[in-house]
Each structure stands twice: as structure tokens, then as C-alpha cells.
Amino acid sequence: MGPHARWTDVGLGVATVAVVGAAVTANVRGDGTPAVAYLFAVGFGALMWVRRSQPVLALVASGIGLLGYYALGLPPIGLALPVGAALYSAAEAGRLRWAVGSAAALVVISSVARTLGGEDPGYLYAYELPTTVAVMAAVIVLGDGVHTRRLWRAEVGARLAEEAERRVQHERLALARDLHDVLAHTVSAVTLHADVAAEALDDGDPVAARTAIGRVRQASGGAAQELRGTLAALRSEADGVSPPLGVLARLGDLTAGAPVDLTVEGRERPLPMVVDATAYRVVQEALTNARRHAPGRAVRLTVSYRPAEIGLRIVNDTVAAPAGPHGYGLRGMRERVGLLGGSLRAGPAPDGTFEVTATLPAEAVA
């Protein structure tokens, strides 16, 4: 418990002592005021010290103390004033039934005892009882309201924490996909060009070998650049560094040194960044699979700009078995596209080729 809460308890205790002490001093009966009455006032206030750790104990002790006070014939101090703080504390701590039950028991016991004692029923039931019940109900409702609001805040906090954790997991998954896409494409490109270099050396063609080795260097450098960009974006979006974007702007990096026939349909236009990046990754993964399972075979890539979407079609001239249905590549492509409300299909085409088609919603951006 912090210092603020402790000072609040002290304030409630002092207020209880002051209010009950004032009622004792007023002594509407007009007879003498025994000093023991003030000790009761101090006792009611002292119970506020344990109202947080033992709210039921503070409430029960206050009720028993109040009954004992009246049993000794001490000056009247009402019902609500001595136990109001205890009722509030019990309701605030979530002990609503205890608060309501204790208040009802005190009202019933007091009313019966005072009626049997000969007090005026008109004054007792028409004025004092409604006032007492109203005050008790008010402090109980107030305490329960504070308790309910605290629970609501805790629930909201838990939901925010859960949402933050979900976003972290989403970012981790996105990072894993990016790393897989970059590294898988790079490894495939490096393997392909290394094989070309080896064959060129065997054929005594150093120029072709140097060209292939240059392609290896280019692919490795591009992968390193993309990884640096991804890590920089994770550090701070405010730095203005983004993951590699641009379907057409970067397609040359993907198709370099490979037999890819590129066709663009429709009028090119800027795309939303997330759509642009997703389209790029789909093309990258599809070309990687083609190089892995059908190396050297021609690939046809079609990018179609439509009014409200962009279509991608990657076709291998020879059927190539892609990563299995549980592979990270194909599953990652489907997840990426699905998150944007698009669709993706990958499988053998009727003409005997292997085809990957994807459609992404892509309204034009300024």
C-alpha cells in the first residue's frame, strides 16, 4: 500500500472521530457526556487503519461497537455516522453482501430496540429511519461504484496488455516471414549462379564465370541491405526506414540472371505500402520455389493493375512441386495475402504448368 492510500485511511479515521465526537458533544438528550463516549469515537476511527486489509473485520467490529455503545446508554450518535466509513470500505473491497447485511441488521436491531424503549414511532420511522437508510445506502453504493470502476480499469488494462502481446507476436511472425523470404530467395539465387559459375569454369569461359559470381555478390548484398532495412524499421518507424517495398521498382532484383518473362497489364500506379510489400514478397517466394524445384526453366510473371485490386500470376513452364502444404513459404504467402483480405492459389494448372495466382485489394493512392 502506497503513502497516498495510507493517508486516505488516516483521513477517514480522523473524519470518523471528528463526526462521532461532534455528535457526542451535541448530546441531544441534554444530560451529561461520559468520557467513555469519546473513547468509542476514537475506536470507530482507529478501525479505519485495517479497513483495506480486513474490511469485514472493520465492519463487524464497528457494528458490535455501536451496539455496545447504545447498550451502555451513551448519548445518541445515530447509525450511519459511526459505521458509514466501514460500510463504504467493505463495499469498496468487494464485500457488498457483508455491507448490505450489516447495514440491514443494524437498522432492524436499532429500530426494534428503540421502539420497545418507548421512542416516538412517528419521529423514528418517518424521519430518522429514512435518513439513516439513505445515508447507509449512499455510502454502500459509492463504495461499490469505486470497486466496479477498479475492476473495469483492471479489465481494460488486461485487454490492452493482451492486445500489446498480440501485436508483438504479430510483429515477430512478420519478421520471421521477412527473414524467410529474404534468405530463401538469396540462397536460391546464390546456388543457381554458383552452379552457373562452376559450369562456366568447366567450359573454360571465365567471362561467364565472373558474371555469375557478380550475380552471387549482388544477391548477397541485396539480402544484407534488406535485412538492415528490416532491423532499422523494428528499431524505430520514426527513422523513416521501411522494409523493402515496390513490386515493379524492385522486380529487377528478383529476376536478374533468371529466365523470367515479365508482363504488366493495366496502367501502373502507386500502391498502399503494405499491399506493395506483400505483392513483392509473393513474387519473391514464387520465384524462389520455381528456382528451387525447376532450376533453369522459364517463368512467366504477370502483374495486372485493376481498378480496385492488383493481380499476380507466376507460371512455371514445367510443373514444380512447391514447398509442402505446411511449409513456411507457401503458408506465409497465404497468411500475408489473407490478412489484407486477398486470395492466393497455388497448384498445377490445366495445361500442365505450375501456377501461383494472387489477388490483393489495392485502391489507388495519391
Side-chain angles (χ1 to χ4, degrees):
M1 177 169 49
H4 176 73
R6 181 58 68 190
W7 279 112
T8 299
D9 295 346
V10 171
L12 275 176
V14 171
T16 301
V17 173
V19 171
V20 175
V24 171
T25 302
N27 192 2
V28 295
R29 291 192 316 215
D31 53 3
T33 303
V36 68
Y38 292 104
L39 293 179
F40 272 90
V42 173
F44 290 133
L47 287 172
M48 295 300 98
W49 191 257
V50 296
R51 76 180 192 92
R52 296 180 188 271
S53 59
Q54 300 291 336
V56 174
L57 174 62
L59 177 60
V60 172
S62 296
I64 294 175
L66 183 60
L67 295 177
Y69 178 93
Y70 279 113
L72 294 176
L74 298 175
I77 55 175
L79 292 178
L81 294 181
V83 299
L87 291 172
Y88 167 83
S89 301
E92 182 193 19
R95 306 295 195 272
L96 183 60
R97 293 184 179 180
W98 276 95
V100 173
S102 299
L106 288 173
V107 168
V108 170
I109 294 173
S110 173
S111 299
V112 171
R114 293 173 68 179
T115 300
L116 295 177
E119 291 196 23
D120 180 13
Y123 172 81
L124 178 62
Y125 293 105
Y127 173 73
E128 184 171 336
L129 181 61
T131 302
T132 299
V133 171
V135 173
M136 285 183 165
V139 296
I140 291 175
V141 170
L142 179 61
D144 185 60
V146 172
H147 174 68
T148 302
R149 184 172 179 80
R150 185 180 297 124
L151 291 179
W152 175 77
R153 286 179 175 176
E155 182 179 357
V156 171
R159 288 181 179 178
L160 291 176
E162 182 179 350
E163 176 65 16
E165 178 63 21
R166 187 192 67 80
R167 290 182 179 180
V168 169
Q169 294 299 331
H170 178 74
E171 291 299 326
R172 288 176 177 172
L173 180 59
L175 176 59
R177 291 170 182 159
D178 281 342
L179 292 177
H180 170 269
D181 292 343
V182 172
L183 296 179
H185 171 72
T186 302
V187 170
S188 296
V190 167
T191 302
L192 173 64
H193 293 302
D195 290 341
V196 171
E199 292 178 3
L201 290 175
D202 290 341
D203 296 338
D205 188 352
V207 175
R210 291 193 187 93
T211 300
I213 293 174
R215 297 294 188 185
V216 170
R217 185 181 297 109
Q218 180 182 359
S220 301
Q225 181 180 0
E226 290 190 16
L227 289 176
R228 284 195 297 268
T230 300
L231 295 177
L234 290 175
R235 293 191 186 101
S236 174
E237 294 183 358
D239 294 339
V241 180
S242 303
L245 301 174
V247 177
L248 296 180
R250 296 182 57 87
L251 282 182
D253 296 343
L254 297 179
T255 60
V260 177
D261 180 14
L262 173 61
T263 302
V264 179
E265 299 177 346
R267 183 177 179 181
E268 299 180 29
R269 65 176 187 272
L271 300 174
M273 289 196 306
V274 65
V275 175
D276 209 15
T278 301
Y280 177 86
R281 292 307 189 194
V282 169
V283 173
Q284 184 182 54
E285 181 63 29
L287 293 180
T288 298
N289 283 336
R291 289 169 177 168
R292 179 185 302 122
H293 299 287
R297 298 290 184 175
V299 178
R300 296 193 300 276
L301 168 61
T302 304
V303 181
S304 303
Y305 287 93
R306 300 161 190 159
E309 63 184 19
I310 182 172
L312 302 172
R313 185 169 178 264
I314 303 94
V315 180
N316 296 347
D317 281 348
T318 301
V319 176
H326 302 291
Y328 290 113
L330 186 56
R331 183 172 62 184
M333 283 195 293
R334 286 201 176 102
E335 289 177 351
R336 285 176 181 274
V337 174
L339 287 174
L340 298 181
S343 62
L344 184 142
R345 188 190 73 83
D351 60 359
T353 60
F354 189 85
E355 182 177 87
V356 176
T357 58
T359 302
L360 295 166
E363 296 288 347
V365 297

